[in-house]
Amino acid sequence: AFSGCKKIKDISVTSVKVEAISPHGLTGVDVYLAVGVDNPAFQISMEDISGCLKHSGKVLGRMAMDPFVLQGKSAEIYHLKAFLTIGEDATLRDLLMLTDVDKLYECMVDVSATPRLKSGLGAPVNLKNIPLKKLLE
């Protein structure tokens, strides 16, 4: 059991690819992602996944993602769906600048999620100011 706990630290995101983006009303978009994850540990359910996309301190959008299960002792590509709502202070100009890859790479991401074991045990995890460039490369 203790060696399994140590392996949790070895879980890594190996790739993130945007597969598609589609409008969702006038206030947001659905984003379809292919996320590669190497999980040498046991099965973990990822729940309550949310985050925000920021540029120059301004929140451009808030994200909510459907829950999913990380398979144990595997390296897999997960096809995930997220809903991104446009931030309250964001303008159309702010969003259009994201078509410039250099500007997009300047964005930062905050993410929170609750990983749960099969037993139901879990605790929220919060990651702040992750460079989007790091996730997309």
Side-chain angles (χ1 to χ4, degrees):
F2 289 118
S3 66
C5 291
K6 183 180 182 227
K7 289 182 180 180
I8 288 176
K9 292 180 182 177
D10 295 331
I11 295 173
S12 63
V13 175
T14 57
S15 64
V16 177
K17 179 183 176 192
V18 177
E19 293 184 308
I21 298 174
S22 62
H24 190 112
L26 298 174
T27 60
V29 293
D30 289 322
V31 180
Y32 298 88
L33 303 166
V35 179
V37 179
D38 181 13
N39 179 11
F42 35 79
Q43 179 177 305
I44 301 170
S45 296
M46 300 300 292
E47 303 173 0
D48 305 320
I49 307 163
S50 63
C52 69
L53 177 68
K54 302 179 291 187
H55 187 273
S56 300
K58 182 187 287 189
V59 175
L60 299 180
R62 298 198 181 278
M63 180 268 306
M65 184 177 285
D66 292 341
F68 66 99
V69 175
L70 285 175
Q71 296 304 317
K73 298 180 180 151
S74 68
E76 295 191 30
I77 303 289
Y78 295 89
H79 298 278
L80 308 173
K81 178 183 172 187
F83 175 63
L84 182 68
T85 55
I86 299 170
E88 313 76 53
D89 298 328
T91 65
L92 182 57
R93 181 176 178 219
D94 293 329
L95 298 177
L96 289 175
M97 79 165 175
L98 298 180
T99 58
D100 177 355
V101 174
D102 292 331
K103 292 290 185 190
L104 182 64
Y105 280 175
E106 292 173 3
C107 289
M108 303 296 273
V109 180
D110 294 345
V111 178
S112 66
T114 303
R116 290 199 187 282
L117 306 177
K118 281 186 179 180
S119 65
L121 293 174
V125 173
N126 297 302
L127 304 171
K128 301 270 187 205
N129 295 320
I130 302 167
L132 189 59
K133 181 177 183 176
K134 181 178 176 183
L135 290 176
L136 295 176
E137 288 187 330

